[in-house]
Amino acid sequence: MVRAEDPVTYLPMELIALGDRDHADMVRAVTYGRQSHKSETDSQASPLMQREKGVAYISSQDNWRHTGHYEDVGLSGYDPNVYRPDFERMMEDARQRKFDVVVIYMLSRLTRQGAVEALKIQEELARHGVAIVSTQEPFINTSDDNPFGVAFFALIAGLAHQESKNKSKFIRDAFATLKAKGSHSSGPVPYGFEAESVKVDDVTIRVLRPGATSEEKLGPNSTPADNVMHMIELAESGVTESAITTALTEARANTPLDSLDEESAKARREASRRRRKGGVSDEADNEWSSTVVRRILRDPRLAGFAIGPSDPKTRRRVILRDEEGQPVRPHEGFITPKRWYDLQAILDGRKRERKTDRSGSLTLLGSWGVLRCGLCGSGMTISTVAGTYVCNMRRSVGAVPRHVVRVTQRDANAVVAVRLWSRVSSLDPENDDDVVLLAAAAERFALQGTDPEAAAEMAEQEAQLAHVRHSMAELYADRDDGLYEGPTGRQAFKDTIRKYQQHEARCAARVDELRSAATVATRLPIDEWSADSENGDPLAPGGLWERWDVAQQRAFLSLFVDSVTVTRSTSRRGTTFERTDGRLEIQWATPASHEDDND
């Protein structure tokens, strides 16, 4: 760049008399080359070709000798903030009159910043007796051999600048188009994925799909795709991120760094070391971190979604949405959107219940959210004490003291089954409370019997609805924390919340539509359930309840019951069944509130 201490006068440009100097028998010529990208190809823009053309031109001139070469590779001539070391060295040597002429391939190699910047460079060189010659633009020659060269100089400089502006706009527009379609346009391919180019609406985009898998268990020979699925399954089963990290490290599973080429992996490690304090873990090739595990499990691309800008507060990748707020989903994911939404709920702590207990066993009431502690409201699970359900709060939380609430599995199961079937067999269409329960059970029964495709869509829409509402709550909290201040921040908030609200309205409407379609003309087969058992008693030995497995019993229970609350024992009188009967309170099902859903 031209030095600030050397003022530019903008006098009419004068031609440089190369023959009128002390060493008139020789013209000292240097070459300068520049290329924005690091590629040594045989193209006409390559640094090697630029140099060869310059040297050939110098050799063709009488009394000219090539005395030096300057070159900047991988550096832009358009960005004024880019420092070009060899260009600066060349300008300093010109000030010391070490050469007489600079030979360039084209004026755009010298600068793309427009006519003003080009004129500054030319006048700075002319002030020290240095001319400029272009091998590919004969009319650019500021020596006295070409009186018209100066006249064309500013024109060509302006054209070079405009070309760069047009090129930059084209690139920006192209990236915007690719981004809108969800193309993976930049950066390394996410861990576990591979990329391929496909054509969508006459535009070629890069889409992701899961990489190769193997039959290997978690370990050195498992593939990145294997490891991603292991992480998902562990998280779904309730394993914490830190425990997943430990499992991956102990199994010596290949890390994301191992999937990069050597140069990229080295750069990533060095950047990581600069961000963190030193430690032996920085050198461990197979050491995982909770941050990496969390980033992988939170990535929307696991479900095939395209990603938008990261959340400014959490730094999480968020789902890219179109102008109507709909998720953009160009990729092939590891899991379905419904499963990904559920996974995020688990990671957020909003969905803790699992189908099985920690031991892996399946019980009627434990560990799926239906059995609740009457003191703290937490879900109860099976205990290490055989045959019991338990809530074990090991410390005080607010006004709730530490406690242990325990109930025998056999008696709790029996009490719930007796009350359930007693209520079902005595339902009265004339009773207002029974009408409410019948309506709720009919709706749930209809949804259980929905065809698989509609059921899958219902589950996904409900999961999307829960996720977008959670995202909206976080967005409002971020605004209250001052993360969206100023005109730009407020506009970004408005744009994002508008898309969320549009998507919420669509999901809620579709859920209502699917629910209504499923419940039309649905009838509960209560008579068939009762007639299936001897003497109409489903609880009789060999009856319907006994023949059902636990999953079927749970499905039936969920039609009529929202939750069962267990209180502490207050009496030792009576049988264990009677004492348990006094401790359990059943919250019967109520129909879904569509008004609340759309609030």
Side-chain angles (χ1 to χ4, degrees), residues 121-163:
I121 295 172
Q122 192 278 333
E123 291 190 19
E124 167 79 355
L125 292 173
R127 189 178 297 114
H128 302 288
V130 177
I132 300 175
V133 174
S134 170
T135 63
Q136 302 302 300
E137 300 153 327
F139 34 78
I140 292 183
N141 182 339
T142 63
S143 72
D144 58 0
D145 290 337
N146 182 14
F148 297 102
V150 174
F152 286 105
F153 190 90
L155 173 62
I156 299 303
L159 292 174
H161 178 65
Q162 187 61 43
E163 179 191 2

Side-chain angles (χ1 to χ4, degrees), residues 475-497:
L475 191 66
Y476 280 118
D478 290 346
R479 183 191 62 176
D480 293 341
D481 290 341
L483 295 183
Y484 289 94
E485 295 181 347
T488 302
R490 286 193 293 271
Q491 187 60 48
F493 173 83
K494 289 179 181 178
D495 292 343
T496 304
I497 204 68

Side-chain angles (χ1 to χ4, degrees), residues 499-575:
K499 289 185 178 182
Y500 282 165
Q501 289 170 339
Q502 290 175 340
H503 188 56
E504 178 195 26
R506 267 191 304 273
C507 287
R510 183 56 178 159
V511 167
D512 286 348
E513 182 182 341
L514 291 170
R515 186 179 284 132
S516 297
T519 55
V520 170
T522 298
R523 185 183 66 84
L524 287 171
I526 295 178
D527 294 339
E528 287 86 339
W529 287 331
S530 299
D532 188 81
S533 301
E534 188 176 348
N535 301 322
D537 182 8
L539 295 177
L544 182 63
W545 188 252
E546 186 177 287
R547 295 201 308 273
W548 278 346
D549 60 24
V550 176
Q552 290 172 305
Q553 291 176 350
R554 281 185 170 188
F556 183 78
L557 178 66
S558 67
L559 295 178
F560 299 93
V561 174
D562 281 337
S563 63
V564 179
T565 302
V566 183
T567 61
R568 274 182 165 170
S569 179
T570 57
S571 174
R572 290 187 175 274
R573 294 181 180 180
T575 64

Side-chain angles (χ1 to χ4, degrees), residues 233-366:
E233 290 165 358
L234 289 172
E236 289 176 331
S237 65
V239 180
T240 64
E241 292 167 352
S242 59
I244 295 174
T245 301
T246 301
L248 290 164
T249 301
E250 291 179 348
R252 297 191 63 77
N254 291 323
T255 67
L257 287 178
D258 297 317
S259 63
L260 300 176
D261 60 80
E262 185 177 347
E263 183 178 349
S264 299
K266 181 181 178 181
R268 186 78 64 85
R269 287 192 181 96
E270 290 176 350
S272 179
R273 292 191 190 104
R274 287 194 296 270
R275 289 193 302 268
R276 298 185 294 169
K277 295 179 180 178
V280 293
S281 63
D282 291 339
E283 301 296 336
D285 289 338
N286 291 96
E287 180 157 346
W288 286 76
S289 71
S290 295
T291 301
V292 172
V293 171
R294 185 180 308 112
R295 185 169 63 244
I296 291 173
L297 293 175
R298 291 286 189 181
D299 197 327
R301 290 173 292 193
L302 289 181
F305 295 121
I307 58 171
S310 297
D311 182 276
K313 182 178 180 182
T314 63
R315 302 300 180 187
R316 294 179 193 165
R317 299 179 175 97
V318 298
I319 297 173
L320 178 68
R321 299 179 183 277
D322 61 22
E323 287 302 315
E324 296 181 348
Q326 290 277 45
V328 178
R329 190 166 177 256
H331 308 302
E332 178 185 340
F334 280 86
I335 53 179
T336 64
K338 166 65 168 60
R339 191 172 171 186
W340 183 82
Y341 285 122
D342 284 345
L343 175 62
Q344 304 316 299
I346 292 172
L347 297 174
D348 288 335
R350 294 180 286 119
K351 186 180 178 67
R352 296 185 181 278
E353 54 268 18
R354 302 188 299 277
K355 291 184 178 180
T356 60
D357 287 284
R358 287 174 298 207
S359 64
S361 60
L362 194 67
T363 56
L364 176 63
L365 301 175

Side-chain angles (χ1 to χ4, degrees), residues 358-589:
R358 287 174 298 207
S359 64
S361 60
L362 194 67
T363 56
L364 176 63
L365 301 175
S367 297
W368 62 292
V370 70
L371 191 66
R372 318 296 297 184
C373 172
L375 294 183
C376 66
S378 299
M380 297 177 68
T381 183
I382 64 170
S383 171
T384 53
V385 176
T388 61
Y389 298 121
V390 67
C391 173
N392 187 357
M393 183 174 282
R394 299 180 181 275
R395 60 185 180 84
S396 298
V397 177
V400 181
R402 56 183 299 180
H403 59 268
V404 176
V405 174
R406 194 184 305 276
V407 65
T408 304
Q409 286 184 35
R410 181 192 61 195
D411 292 328
N413 294 348
V415 167
V416 169
V418 168
R419 288 200 202 172
L420 170 65
W421 281 103
S422 176
R423 180 74 188 272
V424 169
S425 62
S426 62
L427 286 169
D428 181 3
E430 301 299 324
N431 181 286
D432 290 343
D433 290 340
D434 286 353
V435 169
V436 171
L437 181 58
L438 279 167
E443 181 179 73
R444 297 180 185 188
F445 181 72
L447 294 178
Q448 284 185 5
T450 304
D451 68 88
E453 184 175 343
E457 184 183 358
M458 168 73 79
E460 180 178 339
Q461 291 293 331
E462 289 180 330
Q464 284 196 41
L465 189 59
H467 182 75
V468 76
R469 286 174 173 168
H470 181 70
S471 299
M472 289 170 68
E474 289 186 331
L475 191 66
Y476 280 118
D478 290 346
R479 183 191 62 176
D480 293 341
D481 290 341
L483 295 183
Y484 289 94
E485 295 181 347
T488 302
R490 286 193 293 271
Q491 187 60 48
F493 173 83
K494 289 179 181 178
D495 292 343
T496 304
I497 204 68
R498 175 181 58 81
K499 289 185 178 182
Y500 282 165
Q501 289 170 339
Q502 290 175 340
H503 188 56
E504 178 195 26
R506 267 191 304 273
C507 287
R510 183 56 178 159
V511 167
D512 286 348
E513 182 182 341
L514 291 170
R515 186 179 284 132
S516 297
T519 55
V520 170
T522 298
R523 185 183 66 84
L524 287 171
I526 295 178
D527 294 339
E528 287 86 339
W529 287 331
S530 299
D532 188 81
S533 301
E534 188 176 348
N535 301 322
D537 182 8
L539 295 177
L544 182 63
W545 188 252
E546 186 177 287
R547 295 201 308 273
W548 278 346
D549 60 24
V550 176
Q552 290 172 305
Q553 291 176 350
R554 281 185 170 188
F556 183 78
L557 178 66
S558 67
L559 295 178
F560 299 93
V561 174
D562 281 337
S563 63
V564 179
T565 302
V566 183
T567 61
R568 274 182 165 170
S569 179
T570 57
S571 174
R572 290 187 175 274
R573 294 181 180 180
T575 64
T576 57
F577 178 89
E578 292 172 337
R579 293 198 297 271
T580 301
D581 188 41
R583 297 176 58 194
L584 300 186
E585 179 182 349
I586 293 180
Q587 287 74 46
W588 299 101

Side-chain angles (χ1 to χ4, degrees), residues 171-246:
I171 292 173
R172 287 196 303 270
D173 291 346
F175 268 106
T177 300
L178 294 175
K179 179 182 177 182
K181 294 185 178 296
S183 174
H184 178 73
S185 303
S186 61
V189 175
Y191 183 73
F193 284 94
E194 56 186 34
E196 63 176 342
S197 297
V198 299
K199 208 162 200 177
V200 178
D201 298 331
D202 295 326
V203 177
T204 300
I205 67 172
R206 293 182 75 206
V207 298
L208 305 173
R209 57 185 177 84
T213 58
S214 69
E215 299 299 324
E216 295 287 337
K217 293 182 178 179
L218 194 65
N221 296 322
S222 58
T223 69
D226 293 333
N227 297 339
V228 169
M229 281 308 304
H230 280 301
M231 281 186 266
I232 293 171
E233 290 165 358
L234 289 172
E236 289 176 331
S237 65
V239 180
T240 64
E241 292 167 352
S242 59
I244 295 174
T245 301
T246 301

